[in-house]
Amino acid sequence: MIKFSYYVALVIFALIISVSTIKAQQFGVKGKVLDIETYQPISGVSIKIANTQYATSTDNAGEFSITLPEKQTEYVLVSTFVGYNTDSTTFNLEQSEWEFIPVALVNANATLDEVVITRRRERASEIVLLEERRLSNLMVEKIGAQELSRKGVSDAEGALTKMSGVTKSASGANVFVRGLGDRYNSTTLNGLALPSEDPLNKNISLDFFGTSFIENISINKTFNPALLGDVGGANIDIVSKEFSGEDFLEIGASSGGNSQAISADDFKKIDGTNWFGSLSERKTPVTDLRQYEFKNSWNTSQIKTPINSSFTLSGGKKFNVGNGSLNLFVMGNMNSEYRYFDGVVRQTNTSGALIANQEMVRSQYNVSKTAMANLKYIFGKHYVAFNSMYIGDQGQDYGQNYGMNIPEEDGDIRLWRRQHVVDNHLLVNQLLSKLELTDNWKLDLGVGYNYVAANEPDRRTTNLLFRDGNYRFYNNANGADNERYYSEILEKGWALKAIATYKFDNPQDLDRKIEFGYNGNLITRDFDVRMFYHNVLGDLTVTNGIDDINSSFNANTLQSNYFELGTNWGRTSFEPNWYKAKKDIHSALAVATYQFSEKFTGILGVRYDKINQDIEYKLQLRSSTVDPSIIDKNYILPSLNLKYALTEKSNLRAAASMSYTLPQFIELAPFQNTFATFRSEGNPDLIPVENTNFDLKWELFPSSGELISVGVFYKSMKNPIARVETINNLMNYVNIGSTAQVAGAEIEIKKNLLRTTTAYGDNVLAAGANVSYLYSDQELKTPAIQFVEERSALQGASPLLVNADVSYLYHGSGWNLTSSLVANYFSDRVFMIGTTSFKNVIEKGVPTLDFVANAAIANKWGVNLRVRNMLNPKINLERETDFNENIVLESYRRGVDASIGVSYKF
């Protein structure tokens, strides 16, 4: 398949090279000139391309346009106006026909120092993204690194929750877009498919991508053929940072803590790893069930100072190589974070009576390491770029549940403890190129290789029973209640693209072009798991205390036959439970863009996806030879996007499309994954979801950096997938019915509220807000499962989403300050569909409030203060009983996170 993809790209390349020279098209530079103090447009500014005769001046809106005869490696745009300092801006045209340049002119009499000027020009870059949004033919929302910093956003995940219709799960790491969760969304890096670092999820955890990594993030809620077909909610594309400007080296560090972790009396540390994330063992050491060869201890230690920390290093440099330039950007980051929370976990029977009521405690430590290098060589009209990214993420978790849990005798108390490490590694390598073959032909090539290694080495679980004043081992499943667990996942994938673009000449220079080409997404995954059961043969009483399990399970007690060691296959076999998955998606696409007039543009496209997905697996009582999981599908996915410019400042947009959603490997493989409060199991009989999407949006850009938009949308899904509770605490995935619908409305506002200037500096107060209303409905009807209700809201769909921020900016002499208050809220939503006589589990609405302040001093030093989750609300999962009472199944608080950091730029 890889060779096939290579040959497709080669054929397209050869075909384009053979095309004879065609009449030149128009391209050049457009932009807007602003006063750096007022951000108001300036008319009559003289705009010239240095060392050429090409020149113009800005109109009443401060806008300009210059047509250029050819594409060079670099151009210099010179802007002059009476009473203002001359500005020179370097740009190139290798990525597009027209480059948009924001120009911020400084009044000659202004007393602003260089630091203030730099920060104000960064503000102008926010205006660029809004201008791109206004000019784009597609419904794409973008947020750039500068706006992220101003709003106190430290990573891509936080960035998305500032966009309309997007919210984060309070109990998980993923985002919901228009009520659709992980399986319905897709993530790309520089336009190429990006896997998750955690095999339990489809999409990568976005909090790895800090602002030092990000150039901008775009979210496309409407499908078009350039996107992966496996998307129902949105495609999230992260554009990695490239070097531009002057050479630099920057270092930074921060420290802080979680309010609950710092105040905890007994923060547990598990054995087998350390602060840096090094492991004492990755694979099972056991080769003989008669020997106890485990290296890690059952017993925990205590952490007295759980202090969070972060370290960052980044730099960039430009080299002149031959007739082109080579830009290098590198960054590295390490974050360590402690969290502690306590609460309750409960379970009910079908009538709502409690059968489990336990106190819950969690001690969590997470250490993540991110590194990225970008090399970009620009030569003539072309460029070649190489991106390499590594993410190492390790979570160390100690959990304890204490209390009643389906008692066998009156007064029985259960103590459940688990220590586990999740050690995930992701390596991404991308080679990207854009070539201007002629004035009308363009080629976009890309290949990415992704490698994921995910291990859970030596997960230790103990189950104890407190009865008649003594603790004893709970030993009802031949040792499976007290086990050590090792799992390994290895995933490899190729992402490929070869897209050719031909632009048609026309006298009006309207946007008329056709794009066609190939995408490939090829993935293999191997998973195996081994479980070692500790079956107690002697006295079940815990004699040396519940915190010294080592004295009960060790080499001596094994030899003395106090217990026997077995596996999930018995006492004679080391064979693992396993699955092998393979997914090949080959896609052909064609897109025609036709601008009928200066106001009206239409984009008609189609994508053909050939999908082959196969999962082989073997468990003790089940295998793919009897119950196979195969998806062999062909999809033709049409799309239509329309844009009408009502005025120079307002647009009306419409879109319609079809897409699909594949069930993920973890949802198909019939393995039970056991977590602290629930279990999940895959379903090999799942089939893909088919999505039909409609969008309508009106946008108004009142002035530079401001936006008002109102949109409505409707989605229809055939064979929707949802997680359901089939028996106590066991979640399954099923095609829950034949149809589901999601409809809603979104309002977004960005506005500058106040601006004043004094002798000491100036003050800016800005605000932004977006509100989304969602309606969702799905049929509950499948032959294998009995539901309480006939219909339900969609899993994860909150009827109300609100995101808002208020920012205060002070620009003074020699320093400046930016502070932001950011609020988010989602209303109650379905967490899990109930079955039999169980009603739905509801995730209660959660408000969040964050504060951030950044100060820049002398253009060298930076100081930041962040306080997250200031309200520290309860996170609750609830279920209604037959008596119309709400039972809290899980409740805890995450604590308040605070940090202070400093950086220095050389």
Side-chain angles (χ1 to χ4, degrees):
M1 291 299 183
I2 303 299
K3 289 184 177 180
F4 172 75
S5 306
Y6 169 79
Y7 288 131
V8 169
L10 191 63
V11 168
I12 293 175
F13 182 80
L15 175 64
I16 294 172
I17 290 294
S18 65
V19 176
S20 60
T21 303
I22 303 174
K23 180 182 175 181
Q25 68 186 71
Q26 288 188 329
F27 46 80
V29 59
K30 298 179 180 180
K32 190 163 190 170
V33 180
L34 306 174
D35 183 302
I36 201 168
E37 293 187 77
T38 66
Y39 294 123
Q40 296 303 307
I42 307 174
S43 62
V45 178
S46 175
I47 307 293
K48 183 178 180 179
I49 304 298
N51 302 318
T52 73
Q53 74 276 22
Y54 302 104
T56 188
S57 60
T58 58
D59 59 18
N60 290 334
E63 297 176 348
F64 65 88
S65 174
I66 297 178
T67 301
L68 298 171
E70 60 180 355
K71 292 189 175 183
Q72 299 177 2
T73 302
E74 282 188 346
Y75 288 100
V76 178
L77 185 77
V78 180
S79 306
T80 58
F81 190 66
V82 175
Y84 286 81
N85 297 333
T86 299
D87 178 84
S88 297
T89 303
T90 302
F91 70 95
N92 56 62
L93 289 171
E94 83 278 0
Q95 297 191 38
S96 60
E97 283 78 20
W98 289 90
E99 184 75 6
F100 185 87
I101 302 294
V103 178
L105 292 184
V106 181
N107 192 295
N109 297 320
T111 59
L112 302 178
D113 64 14
E114 187 59 33
V115 176
V116 177
I117 292 172
T118 299
R119 289 295 181 180
R120 289 178 171 231
R121 282 182 172 147
E122 289 175 350
R123 165 63 179 152
S125 69
E126 295 183 38
I127 298 170
V128 174
L129 291 179
L130 280 178
E131 189 69 10
E132 288 182 3
R133 177 170 172 176
R134 181 179 72 86
L135 298 175
S136 173
N137 291 324
L138 300 173
M139 293 188 198
V140 181
E141 299 176 32
K142 288 187 179 182
I143 186 169
Q146 306 304 333
E147 187 175 357
L148 299 185
S149 178
R150 179 175 66 82
K151 291 186 176 180
V153 176
S154 59
D155 52 53
E157 184 179 71
L160 289 182
T161 59
K162 306 299 178 280
M163 296 181 176
S164 60
V166 182
T167 188
K168 178 184 175 181
S169 171
S171 56
N174 299 108
V175 296
F176 288 83
V177 181
R178 292 176 169 176
L180 301 177
D182 182 58
R183 80 171 65 86
Y184 289 102
N185 301 316
S186 65
T187 307
T188 52
L189 177 66
N190 301 313
L192 291 177
L194 183 65
S196 172
E197 90 295 347
D198 184 352
L200 293 178
N201 299 316
K202 174 183 176 182
N203 293 281
I204 190 169
S205 182
L206 297 172
D207 53 11
F208 291 120
F209 301 97
T211 51
S212 59
F213 183 99
I214 299 167
E215 185 67 32
N216 63 69
I217 304 167
S218 64
I219 180 167
N220 200 324
K221 303 173 193 173
T222 59
F223 176 74
N224 68 78
L227 304 178
L228 303 175
D230 182 10
V231 60
N235 170 256
I236 300 159
D237 185 45
I238 302 166
V239 177
S240 59
K241 187 165 288 186
E242 298 174 350
F243 172 70
S244 62
E246 298 181 357
D247 298 352
F248 79 97
L249 176 66
E250 185 172 7
I251 58 174
S254 68
S255 182
N258 176 272
S259 60
Q260 295 175 181
I262 291 175
S263 61
D265 295 328
D266 190 17
F267 195 104
K268 300 289 189 181
K269 178 187 180 299
I270 64 178
D271 190 46
T273 185
N274 55 25
W275 175 83
F276 190 74
S278 302
L279 292 172
S280 60
E281 63 179 26
R282 293 184 180 276
K283 299 178 182 294
T284 171
V286 178
T287 57
D288 185 347
L289 293 176
R290 296 169 298 179
Q291 303 294 324
Y292 205 75
E293 301 170 293
F294 301 102
K295 297 179 181 178
N296 299 327
S297 172
W298 285 93
N299 300 346
T300 62
S301 57
Q302 186 176 0
I303 294 178
K304 298 185 181 298
T305 54
I307 302 299
N308 300 339
S309 62
S310 178
F311 305 95
T312 303
L313 174 68
S314 62
K317 188 174 180 60
K318 179 179 179 179
F319 305 89
N320 293 317
V321 179
N323 295 323
S325 61
L326 179 66
N327 296 334
L328 170 66
F329 175 77
V330 295
M331 64 80 60
N333 174 260
M334 176 179 168
N335 286 319
S336 63
E337 186 175 65
Y338 295 90
R339 288 187 182 275
Y340 180 91
F341 46 92
D342 53 21
V344 297
V345 290
R346 299 187 179 102
Q347 186 53 268
T348 68
N349 59 21
T350 55
S351 65
L354 285 173
I355 58 174
N357 186 8
Q358 297 184 303
E359 298 174 356
M360 172 262 287
V361 174
R362 297 286 180 273
S363 298
Q364 295 179 339
Y365 173 69
N366 181 266
V367 55
S368 62
K369 289 158 283 200
T370 305
M372 192 266 284
N374 171 265
L375 274 171
K376 186 173 184 179
Y377 182 63
I378 303 170
F379 56 104
K381 305 175 183 179
H382 323 296
Y383 80 81
V384 177
F386 175 72
N387 296 306
S388 185
M389 178 186 73
Y390 165 77
I391 292 175
D393 182 59
Q394 184 182 105
Q396 307 170 21
D397 185 284
Y398 170 86
Q400 173 180 297
N401 296 343
Y402 175 81
M404 177 188 70
N405 186 5
I406 315 180
E408 299 169 359
E409 297 182 11
D410 289 343
D412 278 359
I413 298 295
R414 293 274 294 278
L415 175 62
W416 174 94
R417 286 176 171 175
R418 168 163 293 171
Q419 310 168 49
H420 72 111
V421 175
V422 178
D423 189 60
N424 298 331
H425 300 267
L426 168 65
L427 179 63
V428 176
N429 290 302
Q430 296 181 336
L431 185 62
L432 306 169
S433 180
K434 287 190 177 181
L435 307 173
E436 301 286 342
L437 303 174
T438 71
D439 291 328
N440 292 69
W441 283 96
K442 181 169 65 175
L443 187 62
D444 184 3
L445 297 174
V447 58
Y449 177 71
N450 306 315
Y451 177 92
V452 180
N455 302 306
E456 194 172 353
D458 199 8
R459 185 176 77 190
R460 284 144 279 174
T461 303
T462 57
N463 269 285
L464 304 180
L465 172 65
F466 185 76
R467 179 186 291 171
D468 300 330
N470 294 307
Y471 279 100
R472 63 186 68 186
F473 286 105
Y474 192 78
N475 199 50
N476 286 12
N478 296 320
D481 296 303
N482 299 279
E483 69 168 15
R484 305 183 84 134
Y485 172 106
Y486 293 79
S487 69
E488 301 173 56
I489 290 181
L490 182 62
E491 180 175 301
K492 301 176 182 179
W494 290 90
L496 308 115
K497 69 174 178 179
I499 310 296
T501 302
Y502 175 73
K503 185 164 185 178
F504 296 94
D505 295 322
N506 59 90
Q508 299 84 17
D509 191 32
L510 299 175
D511 188 8
R512 296 173 181 175
K513 62 187 177 184
I514 186 169
E515 301 167 84
F516 60 93
Y518 166 80
N519 281 160
N521 192 20
L522 319 174
I523 299 171
T524 61
R525 178 187 289 183
D526 292 327
F527 166 84
D528 65 64
V529 58
R530 291 174 172 85
M531 291 164 275
F532 296 92
Y533 298 156
H534 294 60
N535 186 28
V536 179
L537 304 175
D539 185 358
L540 295 175
T541 303
V542 179
T543 57
N544 292 313
I546 60 176
D547 293 323
D548 186 15
I549 301 300
N550 277 347
S551 63
S552 298
F553 297 139
N554 57 58
N556 293 331
T557 54
L558 178 63
Q559 295 300 319
S560 65
N561 290 325
Y562 173 72
F563 75 99
E564 63 180 8
L565 198 62
T567 74
N568 45 302
W569 287 85
R571 300 201 65 247
T572 59
S573 174
F574 283 92
E575 183 178 358
N577 289 347
W578 58 266
Y579 73 79
K580 297 181 182 294
K582 181 180 180 181
K583 177 168 67 177
D584 290 346
I585 303 178
H586 296 281
S587 308
L589 62 96
V591 183
T593 301
Y594 193 88
Q595 188 175 7
F596 294 89
S597 66
E598 290 186 358
K599 290 183 174 292
F600 183 51
T601 303
I603 302 176
L604 180 64
V606 64
R607 182 184 179 101
Y608 167 75
D609 279 11
K610 169 61 178 174
I611 303 168
N612 183 268
Q613 180 170 295
D614 183 22
I615 299 180
E616 298 178 1
Y617 61 90
K618 185 176 181 180
L619 296 84
Q620 295 96 311
L621 302 176
R622 197 171 182 181
S623 74
S624 54
T625 56
V626 177
D627 192 7
S629 178
I630 298 173
I631 296 175
D632 188 0
K633 290 281 189 178
N634 296 276
Y635 286 105
I636 297 176
L637 308 173
S639 70
L640 175 66
N641 282 268
L642 302 174
K643 172 191 171 184
Y644 186 80
L646 300 171
T647 68
E648 289 186 354
K649 295 185 177 183
S650 65
N651 298 320
L652 184 64
R653 302 176 183 272
S657 62
M658 297 180 68
S659 60
Y660 60 86
T661 302
L662 292 175
Q664 301 308 299
F665 294 151
I666 197 70
E667 296 175 335
L668 291 163
F671 286 77
Q672 275 200 17
N673 294 287
T674 303
F675 303 92
T677 57
F678 65 91
R679 295 167 295 147
S680 69
E681 183 176 305
N683 174 9
D685 298 323
L686 289 177
I687 60 175
V689 184
E690 298 177 10
N691 312 303
T692 304
N693 318 292
F694 300 95
D695 283 80
L696 182 66
K697 178 177 284 190
W698 170 79
E699 299 172 328
L700 174 66
F701 303 83
S703 62
S704 296
E706 296 185 342
L707 167 70
I708 301 173
S709 73
V710 179
V712 294
F713 64 90
Y714 172 80
K715 293 179 179 291
S716 174
M717 292 179 284
K718 181 181 178 182
N719 304 313
I721 297 172
R723 60 187 177 206
V724 302
E725 183 178 13
T726 52
I727 58 176
N728 290 349
N729 288 355
L730 177 62
M731 293 194 316
N732 285 96
Y733 302 93
V734 298
N735 293 104
I736 203 162
S738 59
T739 60
Q741 296 83 33
V742 180
E746 299 171 341
I747 300 174
E748 183 178 7
I749 299 173
K750 294 182 180 182
K751 179 68 177 175
N752 295 324
L753 301 178
L754 178 67
R755 184 184 304 276
T756 63
T757 301
T758 69
Y760 302 100
D762 59 7
N763 304 271
V764 179
L765 185 65
N770 59 74
V771 180
S772 301
Y773 169 77
L774 300 178
Y775 166 80
S776 65
D777 177 74
Q778 62 184 356
E779 180 187 29
L780 303 181
K781 185 177 182 181
T782 184
I785 297 175
Q786 178 184 353
F787 295 98
V788 178
E789 307 289 344
E790 294 183 355
R791 310 195 72 84
S792 168
L794 207 65
Q795 174 201 323
S798 296
L800 181 64
L801 304 175
V802 180
N803 303 309
D805 66 271
V806 178
S807 300
Y808 169 72
L809 298 87
Y810 172 76
H811 301 284
S813 177
W815 71 287
N816 63 70
L817 173 70
T818 302
S819 58
S820 298
L821 197 63
V822 183
N824 306 95
Y825 172 75
F826 67 82
S827 60
D828 296 358
R829 59 193 179 194
V830 175
F831 176 79
M832 183 165 52
I833 304 293
T835 63
T836 314
S837 299
F838 288 108
K839 294 189 177 181
N840 293 348
V841 177
I842 303 299
E843 182 178 7
K844 300 299 288 184
V846 174
T848 60
L849 186 65
D850 302 334
F851 172 79
V852 65
N854 297 299
I857 305 169
N859 206 25
K860 293 288 185 180
W861 290 95
V863 180
N864 66 76
L865 170 67
R866 287 188 172 90
V867 185
R868 294 180 296 171
N869 197 35
M870 294 168 61
L871 301 178
N872 195 20
K874 279 189 177 181
I875 298 172
N876 283 1
L877 296 180
E878 299 184 2
R879 176 162 50 211
E880 186 179 329
T881 71
D882 292 342
F883 308 104
N884 296 321
E885 298 175 345
N886 284 342
I887 297 294
V888 177
L889 301 181
E890 182 174 318
S891 179
Y892 62 93
R893 299 179 190 268
R894 299 183 65 88
V896 179
D897 294 298
S899 68
I900 185 168
V902 63
S903 64
Y904 183 79
K905 191 171 186 178
F906 295 92

